[in-house]
Amino acid sequence: DVQLVESGGGLVQPGGSLRLSCAASGFTFSSDWMSWVRQAPGKGLEWLASIHPDGTEKLYVDSVKGRFTISRDNAKNSLYLQVNSLRVEDTAVFYCLREARNVPTSDWGQGTRVTVSS
Amino acid sequence: DVVMTQSPLSLPVTLGQPASISCRSSQSLVHSDGNTYLNWLQQRPGQSPRRLIYKVSNRDSGVPDRFSGSGSGTDFTLEISRVEAEDVGIYYCMQERHWPWTFGQGTKVEIK
């Protein structure tokens, strides 16, 4: 079974940083695009960033460009999101996901909660 | 960015009755490869989202056949043929044609 397990969330002050991790299992991690999506409390979904299977191509939504960095370690079957210069409005549950737009492949993790507050 | 607009935002339904959610995109979702990249996702209370439908009308693995998707260009519909209790939750449309991928506001489906 496919498993995506996020970790690294927590309470951080404005301006702070966190490194979110996603441990993947049950599929060939190095073959798939991976992404991060977030959901603010009581709000909808926002696609943040995606990374090519070999890590050479990275895409970001404008609202996080320059502050968030997506990366992966295929040897460790792990996806990461470095989140810097955090703002109160970054408070959200961050989901790791694997998804292919042309085939029935879509898996989401359970999410890790990031709270930005002084 | 492409704006995805869903209606209604709240949908009370009777068990066993059909339900329908509409989604409109601000730009065409037709790709030069011939595909239309419009997905539907379900988020049950307290759970992570789950994709139900990809490329307008293709069901993901394990999705019951009471869920169906249709539409073209900029107008799309998710239909549930007979609503069951486990279908309660929020449904999102989502486009993967123009980066950044964007979601609709969500439609809350609840039982009357």
Side-chain angles (χ1 to χ4, degrees):
Chain A
D1 279 4
V2 171
Q3 276 205 312
L4 298 170
V5 180
E6 300 94 335
S7 60
L11 175 63
V12 61
Q13 292 188 337
S17 298
L18 287 172
R19 189 194 196 203
L20 308 183
S21 300
C22 173
S25 60
F27 65 101
T28 306
F29 180 76
S30 58
S31 297
D32 288 337
W33 279 84
M34 297 295 296
S35 301
W36 290 95
V37 168
R38 69 180 174 185
Q39 185 170 36
K43 302 294 185 183
L45 301 164
E46 181 182 25
W47 200 288
L48 298 177
S50 297
I51 186 168
H52 187 274
D54 66 11
T56 56
E57 185 177 0
K58 302 176 184 182
L59 302 171
Y60 298 95
V61 68
D62 281 351
S63 60
V64 305
K65 212 175 281 186
R67 296 192 301 127
F68 292 6
T69 302
I70 190 171
S71 62
R72 65 193 297 159
D73 185 336
N74 287 344
K76 294 183 178 179
N77 286 349
S78 292
L79 176 72
Y80 305 102
L81 186 68
Q82 178 69 38
V83 295
N84 297 331
S85 304
L86 283 163
R87 307 165 181 165
V88 170
E89 56 266 32
D90 293 318
T91 295
V93 175
F94 286 69
Y95 294 102
C96 157
L97 65 149
R98 160 210 191 208
E99 198 229 48
R101 64 178 184 173
N102 274 307
V103 294
T105 297
S106 179
D107 301 282
W108 293 61
Q110 86 289 347
T112 187
R113 187 175 301 273
V114 172
T115 302
V116 185
S117 174
S118 54
Chain B
D1 296 358
V2 175
V3 176
M4 306 296 290
T5 303
Q6 292 182 227
S7 62
L9 299 185
S10 178
L11 184 57
V13 296
T14 301
L15 287 173
Q17 293 300 301
S20 180
I21 301 170
S22 295
C23 175
R24 178 167 291 178
S25 58
S26 61
Q27 299 179 39
S28 173
L29 302 185
V30 181
H31 195 279
S32 56
D33 64 9
N35 292 306
T36 300
Y37 292 105
L38 184 282
N39 302 335
W40 289 96
L41 291 82
Q42 174 196 60
Q43 187 172 30
R44 291 171 171 152
Q47 295 189 12
S48 302
R50 161 201 183 197
R51 195 177 72 180
L52 298 176
I53 303 281
Y54 67 101
K55 289 195 298 183
V56 180
S57 59
N58 297 273
R59 276 188 298 276
D60 274 285
S61 302
V63 174
D65 60 8
R66 64 179 181 275
F67 290 94
S68 63
S70 63
S72 63
T74 61
D75 287 284
F76 306 94
T77 302
L78 174 70
E79 294 184 332
I80 310 173
S81 58
R82 294 172 305 279
V83 172
E84 299 189 5
E86 66 179 17
D87 300 335
V88 165
I90 301 176
Y91 291 78
Y92 297 92
C93 62
M94 175 209 157
Q95 66 84 21
E96 287 184 302
R97 169 60 183 90
H98 305 277
W99 183 262
W101 309 153
T102 49
F103 298 88
Q105 321 96 299
T107 295
K108 187 172 185 177
V109 171
E110 57 186 8
I111 305 300
K112 281 182 186 174

